Amino acid sequence: MKTKFTTFYRHIIKEERKHPEATGQLSDLLADIALACKIISLEVNRAGLVDVLGFTGEKNVQGEMVKKLDVFANEILVNSLTAGGHVCAVCSEEEEHFIPLKDVYANRLLQNRYVVHFDPLDGSSNIDANISIGTIFSIYKRFSESGPGNEADCLQQGIKQVAAGYVVYGSSTILVYTAGRGVHGFTLDPSVGEFLLFHEDMKIPKKSSTYSINEGNYCKWDKGMQKYIDFIKQPDKGSGRPYSSRYVGSLVADFHRNLLYGGIFIYPSDEKNKNGKLRLMYEANPLAFIVEQAGGRATNGNQRILELQPESLHQRVPLFIGSEDDVKLAEKFVNG
Ligand code: AHM
Ligand code: MG
């Protein structure tokens, strides 16, 4: 049995010590998120055993049917972050408005300095089918000085993120995060209840032969998008074509596979959805931060995701993300 390992908490503390000015709040905050995700993981694993599957019958702010596990995951994250006291606002894909939080500390050094955005259960249409789903999170420093956070605190460009990550609830539970110094991956050991480091400083291959897209939407795309997909399916040994298609329908799962083996994930605009389907604040920004830290690229087809100025919490954005050369090639087609 292995006797040497690094837990997630040990890793973030090690990173924190590189910053003598750090108060320890970001480490605590990340630990709060990890704890919430361990509880979500437990519930996801036993979802088939208890009566938590199925629709609640309510619609969420995106107009989609909400499932019970989404509601649970949302509540556990909100409660964990509220109790932690490090956050002045939380923004969730499942909540119409941001939730402002009071400062629970009198000590100024320990002020509620952060804002957290999350998609509590991404890929929720896959829950009932026992297919991988996940949680995505993103952390910013507040702009405002004190008190509960305001809208400007919540609508910051992705380049302002101080940390981001995701958890995949799959054959095992994996946590991947960046705090701006590389991307690190951990696996949950359920017997000890800890995330253990399995991959430090993850890098995405520069070029791949894999694409992830909902090709059923082909007839709704513009010509450039259609030509790109036609192109990567044509055989050409030298450039690795035809590409393989891999699409789970859970962004976290598709993204995680592409991060490990290389690949491009695209959710483009189409004639019905001019800004695609995915959300800038909850999905695109955190994954863009991670992919760039891993040496990859993320754009909306012509602009860097991380530089887009958000206008509303739930705004959608076309997403081209993954191996650098593949994203650049796709951009040429959609802009040509
Ligand atoms: P969700 O956050 O409501 O689960 O929706 C986002 C999901 C992504 O995980 C996935 O990539 C995409 O929607 C799949 O959409 P589609 O079914 O249109 O291919
Ligand atoms: Mg989602």
Side-chain angles (χ1 to χ4, degrees):
M1 191 175 164
K2 214 174 156 190
T3 54
K4 257 180 114 178
F5 45 79
T6 304
T7 63
F8 176 59
Y9 196 64
R10 180 62 41 216
H11 194 272
I12 52 185
I13 294 292
K14 193 181 90 191
E15 289 297 305
E16 179 199 308
R17 289 191 178 143
K18 294 178 184 161
H19 301 270
E21 74 291 354
T23 61
Q25 272 194 285
L26 181 61
S27 302
D28 262 4
L29 174 51
L30 285 164
D32 289 340
I33 294 173
L35 174 62
C37 291
K38 283 187 218 173
I39 300 169
I40 297 169
S41 175
L42 199 69
E43 287 304 305
V44 168
N45 288 337
R46 63 179 184 206
L49 302 174
V50 289
D51 183 29
V52 295
L53 289 178
F55 294 110
T56 59
E58 295 162 22
K59 284 193 170 175
N60 70 8
V61 288
Q62 317 289 345
E64 302 151 337
M65 297 306 283
V66 176
K67 304 216 171 180
K68 288 179 187 174
L69 267 177
D70 306 43
V71 176
F72 174 81
N74 186 47
E75 276 179 22
I76 198 88
L77 277 159
V78 171
N79 292 342
S80 173
L81 293 169
T82 307
H86 304 298
V87 174
C88 68
V90 293
C91 311
S92 164
E93 196 199 286
E94 295 291 337
E95 305 274 351
E96 189 167 356
H97 304 291
F98 69 90
I99 304 173
L101 297 176
K102 283 195 294 226
D103 193 350
V104 293
Y105 292 111
N107 181 337
R108 198 167 152 66
L109 253 190
L110 292 178
Q111 185 204 26
N112 51 352
R113 305 160 70 192
Y114 293 100
V115 177
V116 180
H117 292 69
F118 53 81
D119 179 354
L121 219 48
D122 174 66
S124 45
S125 65
N126 280 328
I127 296 173
D128 289 359
N130 208 9
I131 294 171
S132 297
I133 47 182
T135 297
I136 309 173
F137 61 90
S138 164
I139 303 175
Y140 298 80
K141 265 201 186 129
R142 66 184 302 167
F143 273 143
S144 55
E145 292 275 306
S146 57
N150 58 36
E151 189 165 272
D153 292 320
C154 299
L155 288 179
Q156 301 188 46
Q157 284 170 298
I159 37 169
K160 300 272 169 54
Q161 290 170 102
V162 294
Y166 61 83
V167 175
V168 185
Y169 311 106
S171 50
S172 57
T173 296
I174 301 282
L175 183 152
V176 173
Y177 93 106
T178 183
R181 299 165 73 100
V183 178
H184 314 294
F186 301 79
T187 306
L188 180 63
D189 181 334
S191 55
V192 287
E194 291 281 2
F195 282 108
L196 304 180
L197 184 68
F198 77 91
H199 199 151
E200 196 160 38
D201 204 13
M202 301 168 84
K203 292 288 174 208
I204 185 168
K206 194 156 182 287
K207 188 200 166 313
S208 81
S209 287
T210 303
Y211 71 106
S212 311
I213 193 165
N214 185 341
E215 215 166 329
N217 292 328
Y218 185 92
C219 62
K220 298 188 235 160
W221 299 334
D222 63 28
K223 282 274 167 293
M225 192 59 229
Q226 291 178 336
K227 277 188 185 156
Y228 171 68
I229 295 298
D230 295 343
F231 177 77
I232 59 176
K233 292 198 297 189
Q234 281 160 17
D236 174 49
K237 258 199 179 150
S239 60
R241 291 182 287 140
Y243 278 30
S244 290
S245 164
R246 293 283 182 277
Y247 192 74
V248 172
S250 289
L251 173 62
V252 273
D254 284 312
F255 178 85
H256 185 64
R257 185 202 49 246
N258 290 349
L259 179 67
L260 293 176
Y261 310 133
I264 178 168
F265 175 98
I266 308 178
Y267 211 110
S269 56
D270 61 45
E271 63 184 23
K272 242 177 64 200
N273 307 298
K274 293 287 170 225
N275 290 313
K277 174 182 183 186
L278 301 173
R279 293 83 174 171
L280 175 61
M281 302 308 287
Y282 305 112
E283 290 157 331
N285 269 336
L287 298 185
F289 187 19
I290 292 168
V291 89
E292 286 198 4
Q293 284 289 316
R297 185 175 174 91
T299 69
N300 64 359
N302 54 50
Q303 285 166 286
R304 188 179 171 208
I305 292 289
L306 295 181
E307 288 174 7
L308 298 174
Q309 179 58 53
E311 277 154 22
S312 67
L313 275 179
H314 293 279
Q315 96 185 50
R316 295 172 194 260
V317 68
L319 182 61
F320 295 69
I321 190 166
S323 295
E324 186 185 358
D325 289 356
D326 291 295
V327 174
K328 282 185 172 161
L329 181 66
E331 285 165 7
K332 273 196 194 148
F333 276 87
V334 294
N335 293 315

